[in-house]
Amino acid sequence: VGYRVYPEADTTTQVADLESAMLTLMKEYPDLCGPKRTERSVGFCVMGHSSGAHIAMIFVVEQIKRLLQSHLEGTHLDDRIMTDVFVGISGPYDINHHFDYEAGRGVEELSPMKACNGYTREQFRYNSPTWRLWDFLTTFSEGAMDNRTLESYFPQTLLLHGIEDDTVPFTATSEAAKALRLLGIDQCDEYYAPLTGHQDAVMHLMLGGRVKDFIQRWLLTTEKRGLRSRL
């Protein structure tokens, strides 16, 4: 999806662009993407690289928030958007941490990340997807939400990162995966590609390589172990 970029858009607008694209796909291809999709569909897979992975995970978290709120209120979302699979590649998921990393390299004023995510530490936290989900869940009273309910709505997830990435360090992925597990989400797999830098991952997807090969194998394995049960 060619979502708008800074300065035309900020993180909130970019997430809205993804939602608009997904609603269009649901309308145009209901058998494959819609809430009443058929069993022959493998489901809806959202995948992003770098800032695209960051935006895509926020997009998924916003879906989860709406679905959980609807579940607790006993209401029904006729036009629900539900991602079945999420693949995040080389993403900066904690914006506070990534701002510090960019500042350490002296590029924080060159990068649009600070402006796109609101300039302040508070906005950086809000625009960090795992923190956004954490803060949302803490609004409910103890016992109102169990892990099984959360897991039933959260997509099968793969977080992938190149070990040699010096644009977004691979620790961004390990921290995000740990945060999801602390929230009780177990369906999150990790893969750290050796001898792979930030742009290498994209080149592998386009031209072939270990990143593309692993994602393809993972998707096939995910489908076999129960992706269709979510449909």
Side-chain angles (χ1 to χ4, degrees):
V1 175
Y3 58 81
R4 288 169 289 174
V5 297
Y6 182 82
E8 183 183 356
D10 59 10
T11 295
T12 299
T13 312
Q14 292 168 337
V15 173
D17 285 349
L18 295 190
E19 181 163 338
S20 177
M22 193 166 186
L23 287 170
T24 299
L25 288 171
M26 290 170 63
K27 179 179 179 180
E28 295 295 326
Y29 305 100
D31 290 344
L32 297 176
C33 307
K36 298 180 180 179
R37 50 189 176 270
T38 62
E39 287 293 325
R40 67 186 178 88
S41 168
V42 298
F44 210 111
C45 175
V46 175
M47 185 184 305
H49 171 262
S50 192
S51 61
H54 164 240
I55 296 299
M57 187 182 276
I58 293 179
F59 169 71
V60 169
V61 165
E62 286 300 311
Q63 290 177 38
I64 303 305
K65 287 171 59 179
R66 287 195 296 270
L67 291 165
L68 289 175
Q69 191 70 50
S70 175
H71 172 82
L72 291 174
E73 294 173 353
T75 57
H76 178 67
L77 298 178
D78 291 330
D79 59 344
R80 69 173 185 166
I81 298 177
M82 189 170 182
T83 298
D84 297 290
V85 175
F86 170 67
V87 179
I89 306 169
S90 309
Y93 305 107
D94 188 317
I95 301 303
N96 269 308
H97 286 182
H98 193 62
F99 174 77
D100 292 339
Y101 179 73
E102 288 192 339
R105 298 172 64 212
V107 299
E108 77 279 10
E109 297 301 333
L110 297 175
S111 169
M113 189 210 70
K114 179 175 70 172
C116 200
N117 286 284
Y119 292 100
T120 68
R121 291 288 184 178
E122 291 77 12
Q123 282 298 110
F124 290 171
R125 178 186 173 103
Y126 177 71
N127 284 317
S128 300
T130 51
W131 280 115
R132 186 180 294 198
L133 183 58
W134 179 282
D135 290 342
F136 173 74
L137 293 175
T138 58
T139 64
F140 298 106
S141 60
E142 185 176 354
M145 181 73 61
D146 58 59
N147 287 349
R148 287 179 298 176
T149 302
L150 178 59
E151 283 191 310
S152 70
Y153 288 122
F154 207 89
Q156 295 288 336
T157 297
L158 170 64
L159 299 181
L160 184 152
H161 219 113
I163 290 293
E164 303 298 328
D165 193 331
D166 58 5
T167 301
V168 181
F170 72 87
T171 52
T173 281
S174 62
E175 289 173 357
K178 181 180 179 180
L180 290 177
R181 294 192 184 96
L182 286 173
L183 288 170
I185 299 166
D186 291 328
Q187 62 267 32
C188 176
D189 296 323
E190 300 165 70
Y191 174 64
Y192 300 94
L195 304 176
T196 303
H198 193 69
Q199 298 303 330
D200 295 335
V202 176
M203 299 304 293
H204 289 183
L205 290 174
M206 293 189 295
L207 303 176
R210 60 174 58 90
V211 170
K212 180 180 180 180
D213 294 341
F214 185 88
I215 291 174
Q216 288 178 327
R217 291 196 303 270
W218 182 84
L219 287 172
L220 289 173
T221 302
T222 298
E223 183 180 357
K224 290 178 181 177
R225 72 186 182 192
L227 169 59
R228 290 181 187 274
S229 65
R230 287 170 49 82
L231 302 179

